[in-house]
Amino acid sequence: MTFSCPSTVIVAKNAIEKLGELLRSYQHIICVTDEIIQLDYGEKLRRIIGLDPEWVMASTYQDNTPVNESADIIVGFGGGRSLDVAKLLAARTGLEWISVPTAASHDGIASEVASVTQDGYRYSKRCRRPSAIVADLSIMLRAPPRLRLAGTGDILSKASSLAEWRLGNHKNGEPLNEEAFSLVSSALESVLKNSSLETLVKAEIDAGRAMCIVGSSRPCSGTEHAISHAMERRYQELHGLQVAFATPLCLHYLKDLGYAKYGANDLLSLMRKRGLPTTLGEMNTTPDLFIDDVHHALEIMKKRDRYSVLKDVEDDALLKVISELYEMP
Ligand SMILES: [Zn+2]
């Protein structure tokens, strides 16, 4: 078993109170956050940890932003951007970091992979796993509902990423780890059955653990994720909404090949029930743009040496499937 990453996981209401104990032996704490979180919770954090942290604002952070040399731990406190910067800073300084997510918007709350934007493109960078995750459900419940919806979408996308991972293992010999596979598979099943925030957060943490076990994002990221990166070229939308949107297309083919447990329509009906966007119009795209995104996604997959279920699908066939799946409201 390689379940050592991360070592401490607390998912509970008022979990933030536990930070006092977790940070007791540290003297110089860097807290990466945003202005709103600092305003809402800065005073509370100071009271809990008993000292003034050095605040680093994620929005203005650059690779060369100076930080106190005597810092001995980093706390990432906020949404995706704050946690990404905490990961980057941990990798840069070699310090441990603690993840304190304020929204359940994606599985990055527990992973070592940061999403980095360069020249308008977003890519994943392996950094450092959090040494602890403190998920305060009282805080996360206050996040905008759309963020939670995106988090649900990110977990639902595992229906495709997992199936494609096994397909890639059979077709191209991509390394597959059964422990990580079943961890993500259980996370997916839990979110399919239960829509509670606690279930979602635990699923996201398990997805992060799986990536940590494997040392890559492959268990949680397949062609549906590459399509989302392609979509971002022209339209910024929450990651989880985009990856979920691309999932039924991949599932259509994965199910045909006998690799997916769930078909495209199973997933689409659940997505509609949960309130996730499922039509081209809702995602501000068209069949032609969607096909162009698939082409770009295939290049991303090839570059990453990952097998794509859409590799040999002709445009005419894609167009037909896209119209069937995504045009009906
Ligand atoms: Zn994702």
Side-chain angles (χ1 to χ4, degrees):
M1 296 274 279
T2 29
F3 266 84
S4 56
C5 38
S7 47
T8 305
V9 176
I10 305 166
V11 181
K13 285 191 173 168
N14 303 314
I16 195 179
E17 297 287 342
K18 302 280 184 205
L19 278 175
E21 210 177 303
L22 282 170
L23 293 167
R24 198 173 37 202
S25 56
Y26 296 95
Q27 309 298 320
H28 300 279
I29 300 164
I30 294 178
C31 183
V32 183
T33 192
D34 61 60
E35 288 76 3
I36 295 171
I37 296 294
Q38 189 192 25
L39 199 68
D40 285 355
Y41 299 104
E43 202 49 55
K44 188 172 184 178
L45 186 70
R46 256 181 235 118
R47 173 186 60 75
I48 292 167
I49 62 179
L51 54 85
D52 260 328
E54 179 184 336
W55 297 98
V56 170
M57 293 300 131
S59 55
T60 54
Y61 177 81
Q62 306 272 331
D63 286 341
N64 57 2
T65 299
V67 289
N68 193 330
E69 299 245 319
S70 54
D72 49 10
I73 186 121
I74 297 160
V75 174
F77 186 16
R81 177 81 187 133
S82 296
L83 300 188
D84 277 344
V85 169
K87 287 174 201 179
L88 292 169
L89 193 54
R92 184 181 134 192
T93 56
L95 293 172
E96 299 267 308
W97 76 283
I98 295 179
S99 175
V100 187
T102 54
S105 53
H106 57 76
D107 59 26
I109 62 173
S111 82
E112 59 184 351
V113 183
S115 173
V116 183
T117 307
Q118 196 171 33
D119 305 328
Y121 281 86
R122 202 174 289 185
Y123 69 97
S124 299
K125 185 171 173 182
R126 243 183 113 181
C127 296
R128 200 184 169 99
R129 65 174 174 82
S131 55
I133 301 164
V134 177
D136 189 325
L137 296 176
S138 330
I139 295 174
M140 296 175 96
L141 271 167
R142 294 173 61 186
R146 204 169 158 78
L147 294 179
R148 181 164 158 187
L149 201 59
T152 303
D154 202 13
I155 296 298
L156 294 182
S157 77
K158 310 318 178 209
S160 148
S161 65
L162 280 177
E164 193 181 57
W165 190 20
R166 196 168 295 282
L167 175 69
N169 173 256
H170 288 166
K171 292 272 187 190
N172 267 12
E174 284 181 41
L176 186 130
N177 177 306
E178 293 294 347
E179 183 188 355
F181 191 96
S182 68
L183 198 56
V184 180
S185 183
S186 310
L188 167 65
E189 293 298 324
S190 69
V191 170
L192 285 168
K193 287 191 195 97
N194 185 323
S195 60
S196 78
L197 177 65
E198 186 173 351
T199 300
L200 176 60
V201 172
K202 287 181 171 167
E204 291 173 344
I205 291 171
D206 281 346
R209 267 195 183 128
M211 290 189 266
C212 189
I213 290 170
V214 177
S216 99
S217 63
R218 186 48 159 151
C220 299
S221 168
T223 302
E224 75 297 322
H225 270 63
I227 293 175
S228 135
H229 293 314
M231 291 172 101
E232 280 164 7
R233 291 174 302 163
R234 47 186 149 245
Y235 185 64
Q236 293 291 321
E237 182 49 280
L238 290 169
H239 167 82
L241 302 184
Q242 282 180 334
V243 295
F245 183 75
T247 296
L249 179 66
C250 300
L251 281 183
H252 173 85
Y253 293 97
L254 287 162
K255 181 84 169 147
D256 267 3
L257 291 169
Y259 280 83
K261 186 171 170 188
Y262 300 99
N265 286 313
D266 300 328
L267 202 81
L268 279 169
S269 64
L270 186 96
M271 285 166 66
R272 281 186 208 110
K273 221 163 91 187
R274 297 275 176 102
L276 281 150
T278 56
T279 64
L280 295 165
E282 284 172 301
M283 288 304 281
N284 278 301
T285 190
T286 65
D288 287 344
L289 290 176
F290 199 4
I291 288 175
D292 184 63
D293 290 336
V294 170
H295 292 165
H296 188 79
L298 289 173
E299 281 172 37
I300 296 174
M301 294 295 280
K302 200 170 154 194
K303 241 201 288 196
R304 303 179 84 182
D305 252 341
R306 291 180 178 180
Y307 188 86
S308 170
V309 68
L310 303 183
K311 192 167 86 75
D312 298 318
V313 183
E314 300 283 344
D315 283 359
D316 287 354
L318 268 182
L319 188 63
K320 189 165 171 283
V321 174
I322 287 173
S323 319
E324 280 167 14
L325 296 179
Y326 297 101
E327 281 185 348
M328 296 291 286

XYZ file of all heavy atoms in Angstrom, residues 7-71:
516
model
N -0.509 12.729 4.411
C -0.581 11.963 5.655
C -1.784 12.318 6.529
O -2.340 11.469 7.193
C 0.714 12.135 6.433
O 1.049 13.496 6.477
N -2.191 13.591 6.542
C -3.314 13.985 7.394
C -4.456 14.519 6.537
O -4.253 15.424 5.728
C -2.873 15.109 8.371
O -1.738 14.646 9.086
C -3.979 15.475 9.340
N -5.630 13.945 6.705
C -6.800 14.421 5.968
C -7.932 14.662 6.948
O -8.330 13.753 7.676
C -7.251 13.386 4.904
C -8.533 13.853 4.224
C -6.162 13.148 3.867
N -8.412 15.894 6.989
C -9.541 16.200 7.875
C -10.652 16.800 7.021
O -10.453 17.822 6.355
C -9.143 17.200 8.991
C -7.929 16.671 9.764
C -10.313 17.450 9.937
C -7.256 17.707 10.646
N -11.800 16.138 6.977
C -12.969 16.657 6.254
C -14.088 16.767 7.276
O -14.630 15.762 7.723
C -13.401 15.699 5.111
C -14.605 16.268 4.367
C -12.242 15.435 4.160
N -14.405 17.990 7.696
C -15.425 18.166 8.731
C -15.816 19.631 8.820
O -15.085 20.502 8.335
C -14.866 17.716 10.083
N -16.962 19.869 9.446
C -17.308 21.258 9.727
C -16.314 21.788 10.763
O -15.895 21.052 11.656
C -18.737 21.333 10.269
C -19.758 21.141 9.148
C -21.158 21.478 9.596
C -22.080 21.421 8.375
N -23.495 21.458 8.726
N -15.957 23.050 10.617
C -14.992 23.714 11.512
C -13.615 23.053 11.559
O -12.879 23.175 12.547
C -15.553 23.835 12.945
C -16.860 24.583 12.948
O -16.982 25.632 12.301
N -17.863 24.040 13.613
N -13.271 22.333 10.496
C -11.971 21.637 10.447
C -10.812 22.613 10.583
O -9.737 22.261 11.082
C -11.849 20.874 9.126
N -11.023 23.862 10.176
C -9.952 24.870 10.200
C -9.365 25.043 11.615
O -8.194 25.385 11.781
C -10.476 26.210 9.615
C -9.321 27.134 9.296
C -11.494 26.859 10.499
C -9.734 28.470 8.697
N -10.186 24.766 12.629
C -9.709 24.889 14.014
C -8.511 23.955 14.276
O -7.712 24.193 15.164
C -10.829 24.565 15.014
C -12.032 25.525 14.937
C -11.740 26.916 15.507
O -10.758 27.048 16.256
O -12.504 27.866 15.173
N -8.430 22.882 13.495
C -7.348 21.894 13.688
C -5.989 22.428 13.215
O -4.950 21.824 13.477
C -7.636 20.605 12.916
C -8.929 19.944 13.297
C -8.774 19.152 14.583
C -10.055 18.407 14.918
N -10.209 18.125 16.329
N -6.018 23.550 12.483
C -4.755 24.095 11.971
C -3.814 24.498 13.103
O -2.591 24.434 12.951
C -5.014 25.297 11.056
C -5.387 24.987 9.600
C -5.739 26.271 8.863
C -4.250 24.262 8.872
N -4.386 24.908 14.240
C -3.562 25.326 15.386
C -2.611 24.202 15.784
O -1.408 24.396 15.958
N -3.192 23.024 15.895
C -2.419 21.852 16.300
C -1.422 21.451 15.198
O -0.253 21.175 15.475
C -3.428 20.729 16.503
C -3.066 19.703 17.515
C -4.238 18.721 17.613
O -5.369 19.172 17.902
O -3.997 17.529 17.350
N -1.906 21.446 13.968
C -1.050 21.019 12.844
C 0.145 21.943 12.642
O 1.201 21.523 12.192
C -1.866 20.984 11.536
C -2.778 19.786 11.317
C -3.679 20.012 10.112
C -1.950 18.518 11.123
N -0.049 23.237 12.971
C 1.000 24.224 12.693
C 1.785 24.616 13.944
O 2.602 25.537 13.903
C 0.384 25.474 12.043
C -0.191 25.266 10.625
C -1.038 26.460 10.206
C 0.933 25.042 9.616
N 1.532 23.906 15.049
C 2.100 24.306 16.338
C 3.628 24.434 16.313
O 4.202 25.327 16.912
C 1.671 23.316 17.420
C 1.821 23.857 18.828
C 1.238 22.923 19.843
N 1.476 21.533 19.446
C 0.758 20.501 19.870
N -0.239 20.698 20.685
N 1.039 19.274 19.496
N 4.300 23.544 15.584
C 5.771 23.566 15.644
C 6.406 24.487 14.596
O 7.620 24.480 14.427
C 6.306 22.146 15.502
O 5.811 21.595 14.313
N 5.577 25.252 13.888
C 6.143 26.138 12.851
C 6.151 27.592 13.318
O 5.246 28.038 14.018
C 5.337 25.996 11.557
C 5.421 24.605 10.970
C 4.432 23.654 11.242
C 6.508 24.231 10.189
C 4.514 22.358 10.729
C 6.597 22.933 9.675
C 5.600 22.014 9.946
O 5.690 20.746 9.443
N 7.185 28.324 12.892
C 7.351 29.713 13.339
C 7.016 30.739 12.263
O 6.532 31.821 12.546
C 8.819 29.966 13.762
C 9.382 28.962 14.743
C 8.608 28.981 16.047
O 8.223 30.050 16.523
N 8.355 27.812 16.610
N 7.328 30.401 11.005
C 7.146 31.365 9.906
C 6.271 30.738 8.836
O 6.758 29.985 7.995
C 8.503 31.773 9.325
C 9.394 32.423 10.322
N 9.288 33.760 10.666
C 10.383 31.909 11.093
C 10.189 34.044 11.595
N 10.867 32.936 11.873
N 4.988 31.058 8.916
C 4.014 30.415 8.030
C 3.663 31.345 6.868
O 3.313 32.512 7.078
C 2.738 30.067 8.840
C 3.105 29.105 9.976
C 1.654 29.488 7.935
C 2.054 28.997 11.055
N 3.782 30.817 5.650
C 3.330 31.589 4.490
C 1.915 31.130 4.178
O 1.658 29.926 4.065
C 4.229 31.320 3.255
C 5.641 31.852 3.493
C 3.611 31.959 2.010
C 6.589 31.574 2.333
N 0.998 32.081 4.052
C -0.368 31.717 3.677
C -0.665 32.279 2.288
O -0.679 33.493 2.094
C -1.363 32.243 4.705
S -3.042 31.726 4.317
N -0.881 31.385 1.327
C -1.226 31.809 -0.037
C -2.738 31.853 -0.142
O -3.416 30.846 0.133
C -0.681 30.809 -1.092
C -1.002 31.316 -2.486
C 0.808 30.588 -0.917
N -3.263 33.006 -0.525
C -4.721 33.134 -0.544
C -5.146 34.227 -1.528
O -4.351 34.675 -2.353
C -5.242 33.417 0.890
O -6.656 33.266 0.905
C -4.879 34.807 1.380
N -6.412 34.660 -1.426
C -6.850 35.815 -2.215
C -7.420 36.864 -1.261
O -7.617 36.579 -0.072
C -7.877 35.391 -3.284
C -9.136 34.790 -2.674
O -9.820 35.476 -1.896
O -9.428 33.607 -2.957
N -7.690 38.038 -1.793
C -8.090 39.161 -0.942
C -9.389 38.879 -0.177
O -9.538 39.266 0.974
C -8.258 40.441 -1.786
C -6.956 41.062 -2.278
C -6.301 40.341 -3.451
O -6.892 39.349 -3.955
O -5.195 40.738 -3.862
N -10.325 38.200 -0.824
C -11.632 37.965 -0.191
C -11.500 36.992 0.985
O -12.032 37.232 2.074
C -12.660 37.450 -1.225
C -12.921 38.549 -2.261
C -13.970 37.030 -0.550
C -13.741 38.125 -3.448
N -10.751 35.926 0.761
C -10.557 34.944 1.847
C -9.793 35.589 3.002
O -10.116 35.385 4.174
C -9.806 33.692 1.321
C -10.650 32.963 0.266
C -9.421 32.749 2.471
C -11.930 32.337 0.766
N -8.805 36.417 2.654
C -8.035 37.084 3.712
C -8.945 37.981 4.554
O -8.865 38.001 5.781
C -6.897 37.903 3.111
C -5.954 38.438 4.181
C -4.985 39.487 3.663
O -5.266 40.163 2.678
N -3.855 39.616 4.321
N -9.830 38.688 3.854
C -10.759 39.580 4.541
C -11.729 38.784 5.430
O -11.984 39.138 6.580
C -11.537 40.377 3.478
C -12.207 41.650 3.933
C -11.158 42.694 4.288
C -13.120 42.189 2.827
N -12.260 37.701 4.885
C -13.269 36.919 5.607
C -12.677 36.078 6.747
O -13.313 35.907 7.779
C -13.994 35.960 4.647
C -14.987 36.690 3.765
O -15.166 37.908 3.974
O -15.563 36.057 2.863
N -11.505 35.510 6.519
C -10.989 34.526 7.482
C -9.607 34.849 8.047
O -9.089 34.087 8.863
C -10.928 33.138 6.822
C -12.286 32.632 6.377
C -12.630 32.654 5.021
C -13.216 32.154 7.291
C -13.873 32.194 4.596
C -14.461 31.701 6.879
C -14.784 31.727 5.529
O -16.009 31.276 5.124
N -9.004 35.975 7.611
C -7.647 36.301 8.057
C -7.527 36.374 9.566
O -6.617 35.780 10.173
N -8.480 37.072 10.183
C -8.444 37.271 11.632
C -8.610 35.937 12.361
O -7.907 35.634 13.333
C -9.578 38.242 12.010
C -9.373 38.957 13.321
C -7.978 39.592 13.441
O -7.584 40.391 12.557
O -7.300 39.236 14.424
N -9.525 35.122 11.845
C -9.795 33.811 12.441
C -8.542 32.925 12.361
O -8.170 32.264 13.332
C -10.951 33.150 11.698
C -11.441 31.885 12.330
C -12.699 31.388 11.648
C -13.205 30.147 12.393
N -14.429 29.628 11.846
N -7.888 32.967 11.199
C -6.679 32.145 11.024
C -5.594 32.578 12.019
O -4.952 31.740 12.654
C -6.170 32.263 9.578
C -4.996 31.353 9.230
C -5.440 29.887 9.191
C -4.371 31.718 7.888
N -5.441 33.909 12.156
C -4.455 34.434 13.099
C -4.733 33.917 14.513
O -3.841 33.502 15.236
C -4.519 35.974 13.118
C -3.383 36.607 12.382
C -3.446 38.115 12.439
N -3.422 38.636 11.088
C -4.359 39.344 10.509
N -5.456 39.665 11.180
N -4.226 39.767 9.284
N -6.008 33.945 14.885
C -6.382 33.468 16.230
C -6.068 31.972 16.383
O -5.484 31.543 17.373
C -7.884 33.713 16.469
C -8.390 33.104 17.771
C -9.882 33.207 17.976
N -10.709 32.558 16.972
C -10.894 31.228 16.881
N -10.285 30.409 17.719
N -11.685 30.728 15.958
N -6.399 31.203 15.356
C -6.214 29.743 15.446
C -4.731 29.360 15.530
O -4.340 28.518 16.335
C -6.883 29.031 14.236
C -8.405 29.166 14.325
C -6.497 27.558 14.172
C -9.143 28.777 13.058
N -3.909 30.004 14.679
C -2.501 29.583 14.666
C -1.640 30.381 15.647
O -0.486 30.036 15.888
C -1.892 29.608 13.233
C -1.889 31.014 12.630
C -2.640 28.661 12.310
C -1.270 31.077 11.236
N -2.220 31.445 16.192
C -1.536 32.184 17.259
C -0.392 33.059 16.778
O 0.445 33.463 17.576
N -0.314 33.311 15.499
C 0.702 34.247 14.985
C 0.254 34.821 13.638
O -0.706 34.343 13.039
C 2.073 33.568 14.864
C 2.187 32.261 14.064
C 2.372 32.524 12.604
C 3.352 31.441 14.600
N 0.979 35.836 13.211
C 0.678 36.480 11.925
C 1.382 35.745 10.796
O 2.609 35.745 10.757
C 1.225 37.923 11.945
C 0.132 38.914 12.242
O -1.014 38.650 11.855
O 0.437 39.948 12.877
N 0.647 35.162 9.867
C 1.348 34.526 8.752
C 1.836 35.585 7.766
O 1.389 36.731 7.814
C 0.268 33.661 8.108
C -1.022 34.331 8.447
C -0.815 35.057 9.746
N 2.753 35.201 6.902
C 3.135 36.087 5.796
C 2.138 35.813 4.669
O 2.010 34.681 4.209
C 4.562 35.753 5.329
C 4.998 36.624 4.155
C 6.381 36.212 3.627
O 7.168 35.617 4.375
O 6.633 36.505 2.449
N 1.420 36.858 4.252
C 0.379 36.658 3.241
C 0.966 36.776 1.836
O 1.678 37.726 1.538
C -0.738 37.691 3.401
C -1.472 37.587 4.710
C -1.270 38.326 5.826
C -2.520 36.672 5.040
N -2.110 37.939 6.842
C -2.897 36.918 6.380
C -3.185 35.651 4.341
C -3.906 36.204 7.028
C -4.189 34.937 4.982
C -4.539 35.220 6.314
N 0.665 35.833 0.999
C 1.042 35.915 -0.418
C -0.248 35.849 -1.224
O -1.028 34.901 -1.077
C 1.980 34.753 -0.823
C 2.175 34.709 -2.340
C 3.331 34.874 -0.122
N -0.509 36.885 -2.031
C -1.734 36.894 -2.825
C -1.517 36.116 -4.129
O -0.610 36.429 -4.911
C -2.167 38.322 -3.149
C -2.607 39.109 -1.935
S -4.030 38.323 -1.087
C -3.433 38.351 0.595
N -2.364 35.116 -4.333
C -2.201 34.249 -5.509
C -2.304 35.045 -6.809
O -1.600 34.749 -7.780
C -3.260 33.150 -5.484
N -3.141 36.085 -6.808
C -3.388 36.824 -8.053
C -2.150 37.574 -8.553
O -2.012 37.823 -9.744
C -4.535 37.815 -7.852
O -4.229 38.649 -6.762
N -1.258 37.941 -7.638
C -0.088 38.718 -8.055
C 1.204 37.903 -7.995
O 2.279 38.421 -8.288
C 0.078 39.979 -7.164
O 0.096 39.554 -5.798
C -1.055 40.954 -7.374
N 1.098 36.641 -7.635
C 2.306 35.822 -7.485
C 2.992 35.569 -8.830
O 2.353 35.261 -9.829
C 1.953 34.474 -6.843
C 3.147 33.550 -6.733
C 4.063 33.691 -5.706
C 3.369 32.549 -7.680
C 5.177 32.857 -5.613
C 4.477 31.711 -7.602
C 5.374 31.873 -6.566
O 6.476 31.057 -6.485
N 4.310 35.733 -8.832
C 5.134 35.393 -10.006
C 6.221 34.426 -9.525
O 6.502 34.358 -8.331
C 5.848 36.644 -10.537
C 4.964 37.833 -10.839
C 4.433 37.778 -12.264
O 5.081 37.232 -13.142
N 3.263 38.341 -12.486
N 6.873 33.768 -10.477
C 7.930 32.820 -10.097
C 9.042 33.471 -9.279
O 9.740 32.798 -8.520
C 8.549 32.182 -11.352
C 7.594 31.165 -11.948
O 6.689 30.715 -11.224
O 7.741 30.840 -13.148
N 9.200 34.801 -9.467
C 10.277 35.479 -8.747
C 9.775 36.350 -7.584
O 10.517 37.168 -7.052
C 11.125 36.316 -9.712
C 10.269 37.323 -10.466
O 9.055 37.404 -10.227
N 10.883 38.097 -11.356
N 8.513 36.190 -7.208
C 7.998 36.937 -6.054
C 8.831 36.583 -4.819
O 8.975 35.397 -4.498
C 6.516 36.573 -5.779
O 5.749 36.919 -6.926
C 5.965 37.298 -4.564
N 9.412 37.607 -4.142
C 10.254 37.265 -2.985
C 9.421 36.752 -1.813
O 8.320 37.254 -1.561
C 10.926 38.598 -2.629
C 10.118 39.656 -3.298
C 9.329 39.044 -4.404
N 9.920 35.728 -1.148
C 9.267 35.247 0.078
C 10.318 35.147 1.176
O 11.505 34.971 0.892
C 8.569 33.868 -0.106
C 7.337 33.978 -0.969
C 9.514 32.818 -0.659
N 9.844 35.264 2.391
C 10.723 35.234 3.553
C 11.565 33.946 3.583
O 11.017 32.849 3.544
C 9.840 35.309 4.812
C 10.647 35.587 6.046
O 11.817 35.198 6.125
N 10.033 36.271 6.996
N 12.874 34.125 3.655
C 13.784 32.963 3.611
C 13.631 32.055 4.813
O 13.969 30.879 4.763
C 15.240 33.447 3.539
C 15.532 34.280 2.311
C 16.536 33.602 1.394
O 17.487 33.034 1.934
O 16.343 33.645 0.154
N 13.131 32.631 5.920
C 13.020 31.794 7.116
C 11.670 31.065 7.195
O 11.384 30.402 8.195
C 13.246 32.636 8.373
O 12.368 33.736 8.350
N 10.855 31.180 6.154
C 9.561 30.485 6.158
C 9.787 28.986 6.331
O 10.749 28.428 5.798
C 8.835 30.748 4.843
